[in-house]
Amino acid sequence: MTRVRLENVTKIYGSVVAADHITFEVESGELFTLLGPSGCGKTTTLRIIAGFEVPEEGKVYFDDEDVTFLKPYLRNTAMVFQNYALWPHMTVYDNVAYGLRIKRKQLGLTEEEIRKRVKWALELVKLEGLENRYPLQLSGGQQQRVALARALVVQPRVLLLDEPLSNLDAKLRIEMREEIKRLQKKLGITTIYVTHDQLEAMSISDRIAIMNKGKLLQYGPPREVYFRPNNLFVADFLGRSNILYGEFLGWDGEYAIVRIPELDMDIRGVATTKDLPRKVAIVVRPEIFRLAEQQPSPKENVMKGVIDLVMFLGDRIEIRLSVSKTDLIVYLPNTLYPTPGQELRIIAPKDNVIVLPAKWE
Amino acid sequence: MTHEQTTVKFRDIYIAGFVTALLYILLMDYIDPVTEALLWVIGIVWAFILFKRGIDYRKIMYSFSLSFLTIISFIYVFFILVLRLTGYPRAVALFFLPLLTLAVLGHIKEKILTYRETRKGIKVKVSLYKRVKTTLYKLDPIMWVFIVVGFAILIVFLIIPVLLMLYHAFEVPPGQPIWYNFWRIFNTRGYVKTTLYPTDRFYIIEQTATGRIIYIIKGINFGILLNSLINAAVVTITATFLGILVAFVLARYNFPGRTVFRILAMIPLFITPFVNAYVIKILFSENGPISIITETLFGWGIRIDSLAGVALAQIMAFYPIVYLNAYSSFINIDPSMEEQAENLGSKGAKLFFTVTLPLALPGIVAGSILVFIFSLEDLGAPIVFQESRLMSYQIYSSFTSETGIVSPEMAALGFVMLFLATMGFLAIRSYVGMRSYAMISRGGRWTLREHRLGWKGKLFVYLVMLPLIIFTAMPQIGVVLLAFNIMPPSGFAINLDKATPQYFLELFQNPDIFVYIRNTLTYALIAVGLATIIAIMIAYSVSRTKMRILTPTMDTLATIPLAIPGLVIALGYFYFYSTFFRGTPLDPTMGPTAFQAWIVLIIAYSIRKLPFVVRSVYAGFQQVHEALEEAALNLGASRSRVIFGVVLPFILTYILSGAIVGFIYISTEVSTSITIGGLRPDQAPMTFAMMMAYKGTTTYGVQIAAAMGVLLILFQLIAVMIITLVFKQRYAFIGV
């Protein structure tokens, strides 16, 4: 069981700051996800942890051991690459056994013990019986499992997963992410997971760190970063949101009152900080709206609009509601039958409206 | 497919081979044909049993090194049998026997399996008639013209001449069996000599009249056929080893001066026919710089001559071919493949031999096989070292015989050479093709893996590699020194004060010499024009049609001249023109005044160097997505309008690059130039004149030939610069 700690890690490629003073700590046994758009520095951070890159500044600790300058082959991390990096010239068995054979003397393993452990790993990923196949004879999902088995078999201190599911089709991706989560919990192995898919990140992680342009913007449990983004980028990147700019007017008890010119009304919401600047923005998730009852309280955020567009998505209905000068994204239950042109009054519960400083970083 | 639990390990196949070979060695002195046949049966049956018990034969297919070993062992065993070699070489063949049997059995089984799979997969059967009909309707007239004309040219000027050569190879003296010529090649002592006498020494020590001691390294003569094979094998193996070493260091390590190293390593790629061998001969003569060094250090001189000289010259000239291929293989390996291994604890030599080398092997092998082919057909080194006991020299000298008639035995020898080269080429091509997937990455980052060198590494690079690279660039440096008279044509000295541009000027001022330059330029220009037209037709047909047998055949036919030794083309053309154009000016037997060599040479050039042009043009067509053409067709443009109006202008830089590369390889061509060209000396090109100068049969000296070499280097420099700087393309140095 290993804790991983990064302190002020900075990596610069030429004139690009790929990782900008990254600091976080991963608890032992935790599944920690680095989430962000491509080029945000998440893979660089992972590669620094694996030892493929040496940071210009900062330190990397495994437990309390400083590994910043330790060679990758001495770290005992195991990485699963985006393209799986399976060696086409080795069988599944040889691929999985590779790490054990390399450390054979160090660990004092016999060929029989190696065989047992490979068998164990292949059973974990449900690939028993494919030992003698070559990677090219396997499907994408199977290749993914081999890569996972190869990483797990060495019982690494830290498991590193670099966008492991991005080459799979949608259905398989959901199946595999469940399986990775289950395996990770079962083995209790400290895992750092890199992805650009926010759904994947939220479904799988204990905690998520959101990165953009080399900076770590926010980290916390999925629920927290989803409902309480401290930053417009995070709010926009995680899930879908209506983001509207406005002017901070003052406090109504614990709720902040914001004047939104585009809606031509005042909105009450929860602020992430007590000292809000004058220019703020509100974030409203499309699924938090509910239909307004006959007599709504004047302190509720009631919006009246005309339905512009209706899209049936199966598990829900998405509509565009024209309110004053803007269009809102609103999800409705799939039991309703909204039609374009229909008038609709909806409420955005003030506990679910987030008020943020209007800046993107 | 389900997984079969087996108890048979793959190494059992080696045990089988080892036991069989051991039995042979034990019985070697008393062996009779029956016992030996029994041993062969044991090897085969053993493999068959292992196969039946479920040995993992697919390993041969999927393991890079194992499949390579199988191909090599196949060629080896074939020759051991044909040459009837006994003793230890035969024991080695027996060792390979079970592995080969297993490969064959596995191959057959896989074929049957895939056949069954496809049979199962086929739901609807389409009759041949319907298939032909749809193809007929799908293709436009202009594509038909391209396909038919392209095929016709390849068949008439490539297939028929080679077949004619084969036909003449079976021309035997009355009363002899039809395979007589081949029998002679595989059985007479001139060709295959397996017993050595005490006089057959690898080197001899000689004392000159002045009391100097000189080691003369000559190599051992095993007969023409074996000499050629051994020479090619030694050259290939050494060149491969050197090429991998230099490529790996330059691809993976960063150190001060790396760019300079890379440029120096390219120098041997500049083709300077004959002169490279000549400079090496001087370097390693008893008066050369190497002898001066050894004499001061150890008190004896050294001379490398004959077969050893040929091998040395070829290694130095050809190793960059492997180097280039290996270099691009190394930098094309997906970095995550190596990173994954490092991540799992692998490093250094272990990492190199388990991951890096196996992944780069297909590319490296593609370079090696070219070295093998070039070594087999090379004439430059054998002519300069006057080593006639090689296949290439034998074929060449048959053209210079008084009678003007090439003997059928030479046709048979040419066929053996062709067989060796094309079999190797095709086997390796399918091997490489099967494995090119190794380089396909599925996303992810792609920065090159580079390491700093430690002090040990730096010592190695500057003390071993730098001298080696400079040393291999010597011939090209030497030709410049010779041409400007800084280095005298015999002996060794550097006289900067005697430097003169006189010989270089003479090239253009002396009409007797300038005629060769004019010939080369005119022939190369016309031939390159022809080659470009043919290349466009073939490349377009290959890239835009998917006919089942025709398209791949055309592709292979357009690439295979790369593997056909120039001497085979020369032989084929000799027979072709003396058969179908008998009595006309195109008949080579008409004598040096009536024979119009230039037409024959131009056609030979355009076919021989066609692959270089085709490859570049084909790459151009690959750049144009078919949808681009379909969009134009859809809007009502005709196919010819699309090709000439849209596609060709779009890929003009590719076509011109191909043409320039073609021009370079044509102007430096040797084999047909000095054989066919030698039949009409006044119409011969520069390379012929260069050879005559080095042979010492001209009034002008070696310096003139060196000046021609400098001119050729200049051509090549200009070509490299135009292609890389103006067209922004890669200069296609030789490679598969």
Side-chain angles (χ1 to χ4, degrees):
Chain A
M1 293 302 215
T2 305
R3 268 178 303 119
V4 176
R5 186 155 49 95
L6 270 72
E7 272 180 18
N8 278 321
V9 166
T10 301
K11 177 78 202 169
I12 298 162
Y13 292 120
S15 57
V16 181
V17 184
D20 190 355
H21 295 89
I22 304 286
T23 302
F24 62 78
E25 182 165 340
V26 182
E27 299 298 330
S28 86
E30 186 183 23
L31 202 164
F32 190 88
T33 298
L34 296 169
L35 173 67
S38 55
C40 73
K42 53 192 192 300
T43 298
T44 304
T45 311
L46 193 75
R47 290 172 59 79
I48 289 172
I49 299 170
F52 296 127
E53 310 284 353
V54 177
E56 267 78 35
E57 240 181 82
K59 295 271 177 219
V60 180
Y61 296 96
F62 286 181
D63 289 329
D64 291 317
E65 179 195 354
D66 180 355
V67 296
T68 316
F69 301 107
L70 198 65
K71 293 275 179 222
Y73 46 80
L74 299 174
R75 290 197 185 197
N76 197 17
T77 64
M79 183 146 162
V80 174
F81 284 79
Q82 186 175 5
N83 57 0
Y84 318 140
L86 295 181
W87 300 300
H89 59 295
M90 296 184 198
T91 58
V92 167
Y93 182 91
D94 290 334
N95 262 287
V96 176
Y98 189 86
L100 295 176
R101 285 180 178 156
I102 290 291
K103 291 177 189 159
R104 182 189 203 149
K105 281 201 194 102
Q106 192 187 327
L107 301 173
L109 291 172
T110 64
E111 192 60 44
E112 185 55 26
E113 283 164 325
I114 289 178
R115 211 181 57 76
K116 268 188 196 149
R117 276 176 67 172
V118 172
K119 192 163 177 280
W120 166 81
L122 287 175
E123 271 167 14
L124 269 187
V125 299
K126 299 179 186 154
L127 277 185
E128 311 96 310
L130 295 183
E131 291 88 345
N132 291 330
R133 297 284 186 89
Y134 286 84
L136 284 158
Q137 297 174 300
L138 304 178
S139 68
Q142 288 172 325
Q143 292 185 14
Q144 164 71 73
R145 287 160 195 268
V146 176
L148 202 57
R150 182 171 63 180
L152 291 174
V153 80
V154 294
Q155 298 175 344
R157 299 176 81 178
V158 187
L159 178 64
L160 305 171
L161 303 162
D162 183 9
E163 307 230 11
L165 306 181
S166 65
N167 282 319
L168 300 179
D169 61 55
K171 223 169 179 168
L172 206 55
R173 200 153 29 190
I174 293 171
E175 201 179 293
M176 275 311 290
R177 82 182 178 215
E178 279 179 26
E179 207 160 317
I180 290 177
K181 180 158 187 164
R182 194 168 292 140
L183 267 177
Q184 193 268 338
K185 285 290 157 260
K186 182 174 163 192
L187 301 173
I189 190 167
T190 309
T191 304
I192 301 174
Y193 191 103
V194 160
T195 180
H196 64 268
D197 181 337
Q198 37 108 5
L199 256 169
E200 196 174 300
M202 286 192 285
S203 61
I204 205 169
S205 318
D206 294 319
R207 283 192 300 159
I208 300 176
I210 292 123
M211 292 183 69
N212 189 33
K213 293 182 183 163
K215 288 202 173 74
L216 198 156
L217 300 174
Q218 183 178 6
Y219 68 97
R223 188 174 283 273
E224 185 186 307
V225 285
Y226 184 79
F227 284 118
R228 291 286 176 269
N230 62 10
N231 179 298
L232 277 182
F233 179 84
V234 176
D236 187 49
F237 191 77
L238 272 188
R240 300 184 70 188
S241 359
N242 296 289
I243 294 178
L244 298 163
Y245 296 94
E247 193 182 335
F248 171 58
L249 298 178
W251 297 95
D252 173 14
E254 52 187 313
Y255 300 107
I257 307 167
V258 181
R259 175 79 198 158
I260 305 288
E262 273 187 302
L263 292 174
D264 199 18
M265 63 185 291
D266 296 344
I267 297 282
R268 285 173 172 74
V270 187
T272 50
T273 161
K274 277 295 158 202
D275 39 28
L276 282 170
R278 211 172 64 84
K279 281 191 173 172
V280 292
I282 61 164
V283 174
V284 191
R285 299 283 186 199
E287 72 276 12
I288 59 121
F289 292 105
R290 61 168 209 267
L291 296 179
E293 50 269 34
Q294 288 305 310
Q295 296 289 318
S297 139
K299 284 194 170 183
E300 293 275 20
N301 300 320
V302 184
M303 297 160 197
K304 206 170 96 176
V306 178
I307 298 177
D308 183 28
L309 202 63
V310 177
M311 288 168 277
F312 180 73
L313 300 182
D315 59 346
R316 61 177 183 262
I317 297 168
E318 181 178 332
I319 61 165
R320 291 284 182 284
L321 190 68
S322 295
V323 181
S324 187
K325 297 183 204 85
T326 188
D327 268 0
L328 295 177
I329 310 165
V330 177
Y331 291 165
L332 297 174
N334 56 8
T335 48
L336 298 178
Y337 288 84
T339 50
Q342 189 187 340
E343 269 201 8
L344 204 63
R345 275 204 307 169
I346 51 168
I347 292 176
K350 39 192 181 188
D351 285 312
N352 291 329
V353 174
I354 299 132
V355 181
L356 293 169
K359 48 175 197 181
W360 282 82
E361 284 183 21
Chain B
M1 271 200 284
T2 53
H3 169 70
E4 302 131 40
Q5 202 66 43
T6 72
T7 49
V8 191
K9 290 227 168 65
F10 192 79
R11 63 157 189 260
D12 293 355
I13 203 78
Y14 300 124
I15 297 174
F18 183 73
V19 171
T20 326
L22 196 69
L23 280 174
Y24 178 84
I25 292 169
L26 291 176
L27 299 170
M28 195 142 56
D29 296 336
Y30 330 97
I31 205 139
D32 56 89
V34 181
T35 338
E36 205 198 314
L38 200 67
L39 282 178
W40 284 82
V41 171
I42 289 175
I44 292 169
V45 169
W46 198 331
F48 198 78
I49 292 169
L50 289 175
F51 176 73
K52 271 283 158 206
R53 290 187 55 196
I55 191 168
D56 182 22
Y57 62 87
R58 279 176 316 206
K59 197 163 180 167
I60 300 175
M61 239 157 63
Y62 282 95
S63 157
F64 288 19
S65 29
L66 210 55
S67 51
F68 181 52
L69 182 74
T70 314
I71 290 175
I72 297 298
S73 64
F74 176 75
I75 297 169
Y76 178 81
V77 172
F78 178 82
F79 269 92
I80 291 297
L81 289 180
V82 169
L83 301 175
R84 301 189 194 161
L85 291 179
T86 51
Y88 288 102
R90 206 169 186 101
V92 175
L94 275 164
F95 171 74
F96 283 130
L97 182 66
L99 179 69
L100 271 180
T101 316
L102 184 66
V104 172
L105 289 171
H107 188 75
I108 293 169
K109 187 171 173 188
E110 287 293 302
K111 276 272 171 280
I112 293 171
L113 284 178
T114 40
Y115 178 70
R116 278 194 199 144
E117 287 282 308
T118 45
R119 273 278 295 271
K120 241 191 281 168
I122 297 171
K123 299 249 162 54
V124 189
K125 265 205 155 178
V126 182
S127 68
L128 184 72
Y129 166 72
K130 275 187 183 167
R131 284 214 311 267
V132 171
K133 201 177 81 179
T134 40
T135 318
L136 275 173
Y137 276 102
K138 201 182 161 225
L139 296 180
D140 310 80
I142 186 151
M143 294 198 66
W144 277 113
V145 172
F146 279 10
I147 293 171
V148 171
V149 174
F151 256 116
I153 289 174
L154 289 173
I155 288 170
V156 172
F157 291 110
L158 187 67
I159 306 289
I160 293 180
V162 170
L163 288 180
L164 265 179
M165 183 192 76
L166 185 60
Y167 171 78
H168 283 278
F170 289 106
E171 242 175 351
V172 289
Q176 295 293 349
I178 189 130
W179 57 84
Y180 175 73
N181 291 327
F182 291 98
W183 181 87
R184 264 185 62 82
I185 290 173
F186 291 120
N187 289 287
T188 38
R189 263 184 56 85
Y191 286 105
V192 180
K193 172 165 154 282
T194 48
T195 42
L196 294 179
Y197 296 107
T199 48
D200 289 321
R201 301 266 303 276
F202 185 72
Y203 66 89
I204 47 174
I205 306 166
E206 211 176 74
Q207 194 153 17
T208 63
T210 52
R212 286 174 66 199
I213 294 169
I214 295 158
Y215 281 82
I216 302 174
I217 301 175
K218 290 189 151 188
I220 302 171
N221 173 26
F222 286 100
I224 292 161
L225 183 59
L226 276 186
N227 282 347
S228 272
L229 279 174
I230 292 170
N231 178 59
V234 168
V235 169
T236 308
I237 291 166
T238 320
T240 303
F241 177 76
L242 279 180
I244 292 175
L245 181 77
V246 174
F248 186 74
V249 173
L250 289 182
R252 283 287 191 274
Y253 292 98
N254 206 346
F255 47 89
R258 184 169 65 154
T259 322
V260 179
F261 273 65
R262 282 179 51 187
I263 292 169
L264 280 176
M266 302 287 255
I267 289 180
L269 286 167
F270 288 106
I271 308 166
T272 48
F274 303 102
V275 63
N276 57 329
Y278 186 80
V279 174
I280 291 164
K281 197 177 174 180
I282 292 180
L283 286 179
F284 286 96
S285 68
E286 55 264 54
N287 302 318
I290 308 288
S291 288
I292 294 173
I293 295 171
T294 54
E295 203 133 38
T296 42
L297 287 179
F298 313 109
W300 42 259
I302 193 166
R303 188 171 95 213
I304 297 185
D305 210 350
S306 305
L307 289 165
V310 172
L312 182 72
Q314 291 184 347
I315 290 166
M316 282 171 70
F318 297 147
Y319 101 91
I321 298 173
V322 183
Y323 153 71
L324 272 189
N325 275 273
Y327 183 81
S328 67
S329 296
F330 283 134
I331 63 172
N332 276 327
I333 292 176
D334 184 340
S336 63
M337 292 279 172
E338 287 179 23
E339 281 172 357
Q340 179 76 77
E342 264 190 352
N343 179 247
L344 294 171
S346 192
K347 64 170 171 140
K350 185 103 190 170
L351 174 68
F352 180 77
F353 284 109
T354 55
V355 176
T356 315
L357 187 64
L359 289 177
L361 203 58
I364 294 170
V365 165
S368 307
I369 194 70
L370 276 187
V371 172
F372 181 78
I373 294 169
F374 288 171
S375 168
L376 267 186
E377 65 161 330
D378 178 46
L379 272 176
I383 287 176
V384 169
F385 283 97
Q386 287 156 357
E387 179 49 75
S388 62
R389 295 164 302 180
L390 286 166
M391 283 160 79
S392 55
Y393 196 98
Q394 287 293 316
I395 297 175
Y396 155 73
S397 62
S398 75
F399 276 88
T400 53
S401 66
E402 295 295 315
T403 54
I405 291 165
V406 177
S407 77
E409 197 174 306
M410 287 306 119
L413 197 60
F415 182 72
V416 172
M417 196 190 238
L418 175 74
F419 177 81
L420 277 171
T422 44
M423 280 305 115
F425 182 77
L426 291 178
I428 297 300
R429 215 164 88 110
S430 65
Y431 166 78
V432 173
M434 235 166 75
R435 267 158 194 81
S436 49
Y437 56 74
M439 304 307 161
I440 296 166
S441 163
R442 292 197 237 161
R445 322 163 29 266
W446 200 281
T447 44
L448 291 183
R449 287 167 52 81
E450 278 180 3
H451 304 288
R452 288 272 180 77
L453 265 185
W455 67 270
K456 267 191 237 161
K458 280 198 179 123
L459 274 184
F460 172 77
V461 161
Y462 295 116
L463 291 183
V464 180
M465 245 179 71
L466 185 63
L468 178 81
I469 290 178
I470 292 177
F471 182 67
T472 52
M474 283 300 217
Q476 277 70 14
I477 300 169
V479 63
V480 179
L481 299 182
L482 259 175
F484 291 100
N485 202 33
I486 298 171
M487 197 166 94
S490 59
F492 174 80
I494 299 285
N495 311 313
L496 277 175
D497 51 314
K498 285 190 186 156
T500 164
Q502 172 202 337
Y503 299 104
F504 205 74
L505 293 175
E506 206 175 322
L507 286 187
F508 302 96
Q509 286 164 351
N510 185 341
D512 291 342
I513 295 169
F514 183 70
V515 69
Y516 294 115
I517 296 172
R518 198 199 59 202
N519 284 346
T520 289
L521 288 177
T522 11
Y523 300 169
L525 279 175
I526 302 173
V528 115
L530 279 177
T532 310
I533 295 167
I534 304 170
I536 288 173
M537 293 197 282
I538 291 173
Y540 191 77
S541 312
V542 170
S543 66
R544 293 294 185 261
T545 60
K546 287 177 212 76
M547 288 179 289
R548 220 185 269 178
I549 300 161
L550 287 182
T551 310
T553 309
M554 202 160 180
D555 189 18
T556 309
L557 279 184
T559 331
I560 207 142
L562 208 59
I564 299 182
L567 287 165
V568 169
I569 298 267
L571 280 171
Y573 274 38
F574 179 86
Y575 290 122
F576 182 76
Y577 289 99
S578 57
T579 308
F580 296 115
F581 294 88
R582 178 160 288 278
T584 69
L586 292 181
D587 182 354
T589 56
M590 288 295 279
T593 45
F595 173 50
Q596 295 299 317
W598 64 281
I599 301 178
V600 180
L601 279 176
I602 285 172
I603 296 173
Y605 289 155
S606 50
I607 296 293
R608 256 208 95 185
K609 304 300 177 183
L610 186 63
F612 294 104
V613 191
V614 167
R615 215 163 37 170
S616 186
V617 177
Y618 183 76
F621 283 125
Q622 297 284 73
Q623 296 296 307
V624 184
H625 198 278
E626 258 193 281
L628 209 79
E629 286 177 44
E630 281 165 358
L633 287 171
N634 179 251
L635 292 173
S638 69
R639 176 72 75 173
S640 53
R641 202 161 158 175
V642 171
I643 296 173
F644 294 106
V646 180
V647 185
L648 287 190
F650 193 70
I651 63 163
L652 198 63
T653 55
Y654 286 91
I655 297 175
L656 289 176
S657 304
I660 290 176
V661 172
F663 180 87
I664 291 304
Y665 286 111
I666 288 170
S667 55
T668 51
E669 204 271 354
V670 172
S671 308
T672 48
S673 302
I674 66 172
T675 46
I676 303 274
L679 296 173
R680 178 76 197 261
D682 62 317
Q683 287 186 355
M686 256 157 88
T687 41
F688 175 78
M690 291 169 81
M691 175 200 67
M692 295 307 273
Y694 286 113
K695 281 179 101 179
T697 46
T698 50
T699 48
Y700 47 85
V702 168
Q703 288 99 331
I704 288 293
M708 285 178 173
V710 173
L711 192 67
L712 287 178
I713 291 181
L714 276 180
F715 282 0
Q716 293 170 67
L717 260 181
I718 294 168
V720 171
M721 287 207 273
I722 292 178
I723 289 172
T724 52
L725 300 179
V726 182
F727 298 150
K728 312 275 180 217
Q729 309 244 326
R730 279 185 59 211
Y731 183 84
F733 280 111
I734 312 151
V736 171

